[in-house]
Amino acid sequence: MKKKIQVTLNGKKTELEVPSHRLLLDLLRDEIGLTGTKEGCGTGDCGACTVLLNGKPVNSCLIFSGELDGADIVTIEGLKIGPEMHPVQRAFVQDGGVQCGYCTSGMLMMSKALLDENPDPSEDDIRFAISGNLCRCTGYAKIVKAVQDAARELRNRRS
Amino acid sequence: MDNLTVVGKPVTRIDADEKVTGEAVYGYDLVLPNMVYGKVLFSPKAHAKIKRINTDKARQYPGVVAVVTGKDAPWIHGESIRDKPFLAQDKVRYIGEPVAAVAAVDEDTAEAAVRLIEVEYEDLPAYTSPEDAARMDAVAIHENFASYRKMPFITPGAGPNVCEHFKLRTGDVEQGFREADVVLEERYSVPIIQHAAMEPHSAHAQVDPTTGRVTIWVANDAPFRALHEITEALDVPKEQVRFINPLQGGGFGSKGGLKVEPVAVALAYKTNGRPVRVKFNREETFISTLTRHGAIVHVKSGVKKNGAITAREMTIYWNGGAYAEKSPTVCIRGSLPAPGPYRIPNVKVDGYAVYTNVPVAGSFRGYGIPQGAWAVEQHTDELARRLGMDPLAFRMQNVFADGDTAYWGEELHSVGLKETLQKAADAIEWGKKIDSMPGSRVKGLKIGKGLACIQKPTRSPTTSSAGVIVNAKGEASVLAGTVEIGQGCNTILCQIAAEELKMPFDKVRSASLDTDVIPYDASTTSSRSTYHMGNAVKGAAIDAREKLAVLAAPMLEAKKEELAFADGKIFLKHQPEMALTVGEVVRRKFGPEGTVRGDASYTYELAKDLDLETGHSDNASAFYMYATQAAVIAVDEETGRARLLRMAAAHDVGKAINPLNCAAQIEGGLAMGIGSALHEHLVIDQNGKVRNPSFLDYHLVTALDLPEMIPIIVECPEPQGPYGAKGLGEPGLAPTPAAIGNAVADAIGARVYDLPLSPERIFWVIQEKKKGKAA
Ligand code: FES
Ligand code: FES
């Protein structure tokens, strides 16, 4: 059964007609064509599909489209600030926080959510925040450093 | 002396931008026009005859485009032994084997239709343990094994399920044991684990209805090898198949060979030219792709009181799963150096690669080294303990050094092993009792230190070819068949091209991988790329540079020999203001759309095959990698829980082309090694069923599970390598479990012989020890 919903997707008002049971992950990837959000498990266990829903990080593979009317959704494609990369994106590039890159979208969205809430996270805060985001390549060390560097950069900008 | 401008520098990855913005398109993301969606019916039986398949209902289901079974796809493939059908033929050999497949207009329809296929099975006895399956009286899993086509180096064993029996024979071990003061015999085991690359497996295929040409889009780590394997199976010329590589979301060995590809191709032959997409979800990836060989390792050694090792005898059973895939070569390449990087006069190794009824084992980062190291490196500590020697000193006394002849008959050079031992040991303050580490003062916690070292060969001989194209804008692209699986090869190869062309790094990029246009490469495996493809790209860039010099000489009214290159320019050595940009030279000669291309191939030609009876070769590998890792651990004696406090990893890379990337590889390997030490185990019950095919139940390390990690780069240059480079990707996880195992043994005063080092396992070892003391 299809349902009409209105969402704000990466800052743009968007009207969609989707089957209520369609998962947000599939809606983004298959129907809208935003494949930056990744599928690693489809069962809520890896965090590769993390997006921001009304400002909060969620596993998009666990969200039904039917619940989304009026929602504000930000995906990796909406993380840039205008043409500029978000500091957390730049830090991932600079610090070597990216290898295969498959976990990266989810990591970045989770990191952004953390930094929105906590501008000065400790290493433990960062590790805790991304503990639901699996990365098989990096061993997380450079990711943690990138989030620390992004936090510093964001604080500098604010002051 | 070193006037390198790009090589050796920690430049950032060339593919990072597209990955942090979500623009990168991976195999799993790929959408092709007019494509149909494939779904697979997997065997629910570990070993059974197929009595009957009925696909009528599936065929009639609305929206279904094609249904295929083994009858429609009568092809058999296999790299070293041709034993694996595209879809099960007459029988199934593991739970998860593809039996039939459906292509339909959408995924839901394909899923619904696949459930309508009826299969009747007749059960056969199933084996999950390689020791059981290796017995002479075991039931054959492959009845027609004798008639399978095999590579010439395959030496099957005596039992019906032993697809390879590797033998190493050096000296006389019995004599060696007689000379020894201490003889120790132990048994270790390593469970099956999985690569668990974050991107699950998928493949897209299309068959051109007019020409019959097959195109396969797949994130395969060895597209040229896959092309060979599939054309051999289909019995068509190489030109009839094309592989296109989208980006790969991690591999670690899992994405070589043919897994989803055969199903996609079988379907594509029946869809009238429409492309087919077959995606495995995570559970399907767990049960139906590839795993790492579980292994049972018996090791017996003799040592003298003065610390000399007189003999070592090993028997290793490699659990190959239902089809051979890489088992013969993992068995050979893993068993050969299994006795460890030590001077031992008398060595005997028997390695058995055994068919069983579990998912197929394939190549996995480390290619057989971690299994041997888990046993031998702990065994080494046990020997040291019995001799009353310090484990580091015992190793220093016995490890290979330059000029030593290894027990397979090869004289070794560029051996950075001792330096890795020393640096890893120093990084954890070896020999110093610890009471200041965090957590160590908590009551009931026992602190221990341990280390382990390895030597790893690379696949030899192999060939890499490359092209470098320079355009009139002064940009270069590198044409290389090395697959970017996350390890950073594209960045490394562009650094090498930029270095030789003397062009700015940001003007050099990688071409995408398509077997129609990219020169041949053997595979992205075995840590061979930096060395082999690095040499090929270096040669191709030099070739392009030579051609540019020939073109520039008349333009600058000079002789070719008088020219120099720097910063994207060609100029007169003695008159640097007389200069042209590289792009300008190309443009003047060939116009604004012109290009100049250089090419080169690299083969390590000195390699010699191992003797089939003795395992000997005086040149078994293009180069060897050496590494030592050291661990500090805290064990809670009440619960058996082990918490790593620090890990140091010292790796001899020859020359770090990119130190940032080297550190990243070491950390990533270490994390994987830690996971395999403490958590990972693909649990397969006695019926052959995987019990934990999800990330909820298969524990990958998270950001919270890891200790402080100290990557240490050691550079002992390899003369044949580009700028002295060796390889690095694989060793990162190889010594890790043994180093941790030795640290656990140091902490609790008793040894754990089986992986993973779960709290339960450690707990029971502690209880046993207490019982032993009480008795
Ligand atoms: S894909 Fe959603 S958590 Fe893994
Ligand atoms: S970079 Fe590959 S999974 Fe994280």
Side-chain angles (χ1 to χ4, degrees):
Chain A
M1 219 209 322
K2 291 216 172 185
K3 185 176 169 187
K4 264 202 183 130
I5 55 168
Q6 222 191 42
V7 298
T8 307
L9 177 58
N10 295 332
K12 269 201 215 92
K13 286 241 177 300
T14 311
E15 240 178 71
L16 298 163
E17 215 184 305
V18 290
S20 301
H21 70 276
R22 181 73 72 242
L23 296 166
L24 173 54
L25 174 64
D26 297 334
L27 175 71
L28 291 168
R29 288 173 54 84
D30 298 340
E31 310 213 0
I32 305 174
L34 292 179
T35 56
T37 303
K38 300 302 181 205
E39 175 173 357
C41 67
T43 49
D45 302 318
C46 78
C49 64
T50 307
V51 301
L52 301 186
L53 180 61
N54 302 322
K56 296 270 177 260
V58 295
N59 287 330
S60 62
C61 69
L62 296 180
I63 308 278
F64 288 113
S65 300
E67 309 162 16
L68 290 174
D69 199 25
D72 181 77
I73 303 161
V74 183
T75 70
I76 186 69
E77 288 88 350
L79 187 55
K80 276 190 178 177
I81 307 166
E84 281 259 310
M85 276 196 207
H86 187 281
V88 75
Q89 289 174 304
R90 191 138 0 89
F92 267 58
V93 174
Q94 286 304 327
D95 293 343
V98 182
Q99 289 191 26
C100 84
Y102 203 77
C103 70
T104 306
S105 303
M107 283 287 182
L108 286 166
M109 299 316 287
M110 185 55 80
S111 305
K112 165 161 164 56
L114 168 70
L115 296 175
D116 285 349
E117 197 154 281
N118 179 358
D120 192 7
S122 67
E123 175 173 345
D124 283 348
D125 292 338
I126 296 168
R127 286 188 179 268
F128 185 74
I130 62 167
S131 62
N133 291 71
L134 298 176
C135 173
R136 191 57 155 163
C137 300
T138 63
Y140 306 100
K142 301 212 179 316
I143 291 176
V144 171
K145 175 163 190 298
V147 178
Q148 286 169 324
D149 286 350
R152 196 169 311 117
E153 164 71 18
L154 281 164
R155 285 198 305 275
N156 288 345
R157 283 193 190 183
R158 269 185 221 116
S159 60
Chain B
M1 64 168 235
D2 157 349
N3 52 7
L4 300 171
T5 56
V6 191
V7 162
K9 303 287 180 287
V11 297
T12 57
R13 296 174 64 111
I14 62 168
D15 55 355
D17 283 11
E18 57 167 352
K19 287 175 174 175
V20 297
T21 53
E23 284 158 26
V25 176
Y26 294 78
Y28 219 62
D29 301 331
L30 196 64
V31 176
L32 296 171
N34 204 24
M35 72 182 181
V36 291
Y37 300 78
K39 269 280 162 198
V40 177
L41 179 71
F42 298 96
S43 167
K45 302 281 186 182
H47 196 193
K49 280 200 184 106
I50 299 174
K51 304 286 285 179
R52 192 179 61 88
I53 303 185
N54 187 341
T55 57
D56 294 350
K57 286 185 200 151
R59 282 178 207 279
Q60 284 150 18
Y61 194 78
V64 167
V65 177
V67 180
V68 290
T69 68
K71 285 211 174 55
D72 307 289
W75 306 299
I76 310 288
H77 70 92
E79 186 194 322
S80 51
I81 299 176
R82 263 174 82 182
D83 62 358
K84 186 162 168 281
F86 278 38
L87 291 159
Q89 304 277 358
D90 307 324
K91 70 183 284 194
V92 289
R93 296 181 173 90
Y94 71 100
I95 296 176
E97 176 162 8
V99 173
V102 172
V105 290
D106 59 44
E107 207 124 350
D108 292 349
T109 305
E111 175 98 53
V114 100
R115 287 171 202 267
L116 299 175
I117 299 172
E118 294 156 8
V119 189
E120 207 181 294
Y121 296 99
E122 183 186 312
D123 284 317
L124 294 166
Y127 297 98
T128 55
S129 149
E131 259 173 328
D132 293 345
R135 283 214 286 269
M136 291 298 292
D137 60 352
V139 171
I141 294 169
H142 291 263
E143 298 80 359
N144 301 325
F145 179 74
S147 67
Y148 289 163
R149 190 114 69 79
K150 304 174 188 76
M151 298 278 255
F153 59 81
I154 299 287
T155 50
N161 294 317
V162 179
C163 65
E164 165 67 25
H165 175 192
F166 167 79
K167 295 188 273 303
L168 181 77
R169 302 286 183 262
T170 300
D172 177 353
V173 285
E174 293 312 325
Q175 177 62 28
F177 291 135
R178 277 193 293 274
E179 288 165 12
D181 296 314
V182 176
V183 174
L184 175 67
E185 189 169 358
E186 293 176 311
R187 176 192 189 270
Y188 290 86
S189 80
V190 178
I192 295 171
I193 65 171
Q194 196 174 54
H195 317 68
M198 290 314 299
E199 181 194 21
H201 290 240
S202 67
H204 295 60
Q206 181 175 28
V207 178
D208 185 310
T210 331
T211 62
R213 195 160 194 256
V214 184
T215 305
I216 302 164
W217 293 260
V218 62
N220 191 300
D221 68 28
F224 291 92
R225 181 154 69 182
L227 187 146
H228 174 83
E229 192 170 325
I230 215 155
T231 50
E232 188 183 61
L234 296 172
D235 195 19
V236 298
K238 284 232 164 82
E239 300 68 45
Q240 277 295 84
V241 176
R242 171 186 185 191
F243 273 79
I244 296 174
N245 265 59
L247 251 180
Q248 189 173 133
F252 317 109
S254 68
K255 285 172 179 165
L258 303 177
K259 301 84 38 198
V260 193
E261 296 88 339
V263 181
V265 169
L267 283 170
Y269 272 106
K270 303 282 179 189
T271 57
N272 226 341
R274 290 179 77 173
V276 182
R277 157 159 121 185
V278 184
K279 285 167 89 170
F280 281 4
N281 62 27
R282 181 54 59 183
E283 181 176 347
E284 293 165 347
T285 297
F286 265 116
I287 65 164
S288 191
T289 61
L290 295 170
T291 66
R292 184 173 91 177
H293 291 79
I296 295 161
V297 186
H298 298 267
V299 53
K300 179 179 175 186
S301 301
V303 282
K304 278 187 162 328
K305 283 201 188 104
N306 66 9
I309 307 173
T310 57
R312 180 159 292 165
E313 181 174 2
M314 296 182 74
T315 306
I316 311 175
Y317 294 93
W318 303 90
N319 191 344
Y323 295 97
E325 233 297 309
K326 305 277 190 301
S327 287
T329 45
V330 167
C331 172
I332 295 167
R333 292 270 150 193
S335 301
L336 173 77
Y342 301 102
R343 293 190 310 269
I344 314 173
N346 304 297
V347 181
K348 181 174 179 222
V349 181
D350 288 278
Y352 300 97
V354 189
Y355 285 129
T356 59
N357 298 109
V358 304
V360 183
S363 66
F364 189 117
R365 189 181 208 174
Y367 218 75
I369 301 301
Q371 291 93 331
W374 165 249
V376 163
E377 284 303 294
Q378 291 207 85
H379 184 72
T380 300
D381 267 37
E382 278 303 313
L383 290 170
R385 195 170 66 81
R386 280 167 169 74
L387 294 171
M389 283 181 78
D390 170 72
L392 175 63
F394 180 57
R395 284 183 175 82
M396 283 294 191
Q397 178 182 337
N398 286 293
V399 290
F400 291 145
D402 272 21
D404 282 342
T405 299
Y407 39 81
W408 57 88
E410 177 169 359
E411 191 182 315
L412 301 170
H413 63 268
S414 312
V415 185
L417 186 53
K418 283 191 179 169
E419 196 179 336
T420 68
L421 272 163
Q422 196 58 56
K423 290 200 162 145
D426 289 348
I428 63 158
E429 299 179 282
W430 185 259
K432 193 169 141 200
K433 273 279 161 220
I434 336 145
D435 51 7
S436 59
M437 295 286 279
S440 62
R441 288 210 195 89
V442 182
K443 197 171 149 284
L445 287 193
K446 294 273 189 200
I447 308 284
K449 290 181 179 181
L451 50 74
C453 61
I454 58 109
Q455 173 192 30
K456 188 184 180 304
T458 188
R459 197 181 155 213
S460 308
T462 59
T463 297
S464 290
S465 300
V468 169
I469 296 177
V470 181
N471 69 20
K473 290 201 264 317
E475 300 158 339
S477 59
V478 176
L479 281 61
T482 301
V483 181
E484 179 57 79
I485 56 180
Q487 83 283 43
C489 65
N490 286 355
T491 304
I492 300 299
L493 297 174
C494 286
Q495 281 182 266
I496 291 173
E499 186 66 54
E500 292 306 326
L501 290 165
K502 303 292 172 204
M503 279 168 61
F505 177 61
D506 64 0
K507 296 280 185 243
V508 184
R509 285 299 172 257
S510 287
S512 53
L513 214 171
D514 174 342
T515 56
D516 269 7
V517 290
I518 299 292
Y520 174 86
D521 179 50
S523 59
T524 304
T525 61
S526 207
S527 303
R528 60 177 291 283
S529 301
T530 299
Y531 176 98
H532 291 86
M533 189 56 84
N535 270 330
V537 167
K538 188 176 177 200
I542 292 171
D543 187 38
R545 194 179 71 204
E546 288 295 309
K547 287 175 177 160
L548 288 164
V550 170
L551 297 179
M555 297 176 195
L556 288 164
E557 294 171 6
K559 287 208 202 68
K560 191 175 134 253
E561 298 70 37
E562 294 167 334
L563 300 179
F565 286 68
D567 213 15
K569 294 194 189 78
I570 309 175
F571 54 90
L572 289 182
K573 274 180 207 160
H574 57 273
Q575 216 182 325
E577 66 283 3
M578 288 292 292
L580 286 168
T581 64
V582 165
E584 180 67 11
V585 171
V586 178
R587 195 187 59 77
R588 281 202 200 169
K589 180 70 185 179
F590 299 115
E593 303 302 335
T595 54
V596 167
R597 173 170 171 145
D599 284 281
S601 273
Y602 181 83
T603 306
Y604 181 72
E605 277 156 351
L606 299 173
K608 288 203 205 105
D609 292 342
L610 307 178
D611 181 86
L612 296 183
E613 288 309 313
T614 64
H616 284 214
S617 164
D618 61 14
N619 209 323
S621 174
F623 59 90
Y624 291 90
M625 293 161 271
Y626 300 93
T628 302
Q629 296 184 351
V632 186
I633 206 159
V635 181
D636 183 338
E637 291 219 286
E638 306 269 286
T639 62
R641 186 165 177 267
R643 192 162 70 86
L644 274 168
L645 303 174
R646 177 185 284 181
M647 279 223 65
H651 289 256
D652 172 15
V653 304
K655 160 81 185 172
I657 306 289
N658 184 331
L660 178 65
N661 200 59
C662 286
Q665 276 299 300
I666 294 172
E667 288 169 358
L670 201 46
M672 205 177 232
I674 291 168
S676 70
L678 298 180
H679 312 294
E680 290 185 41
H681 179 189
L682 194 68
V683 181
I684 299 176
D685 67 20
Q686 74 228 36
N687 301 318
K689 192 171 171 59
V690 177
R691 305 306 313 201
N692 57 343
S694 76
F695 285 146
L696 192 60
D697 298 316
Y698 185 93
H699 186 162
L700 293 179
V701 287
T702 72
L704 289 174
D705 296 322
L706 293 169
E708 176 194 7
M709 301 194 287
I710 306 170
I712 300 163
I713 295 169
V714 169
E715 294 182 315
C716 179
E718 167 58 48
Q720 298 263 331
Y723 317 98
K726 300 174 180 169
L728 174 62
E730 295 194 295
L733 50 49
T736 324
I740 296 173
N742 283 335
V744 168
D746 182 46
I748 65 174
R751 191 160 295 279
V752 183
Y753 294 90
D754 308 297
L755 280 173
L757 293 154
S758 59
E760 195 186 357
R761 208 162 250 151
I762 295 174
F763 175 82
W764 286 115
V765 168
I766 295 169
Q767 298 312 308
E768 284 295 309
K769 188 191 130 204
K770 283 189 184 155
K771 245 196 263 161
K773 266 201 191 138

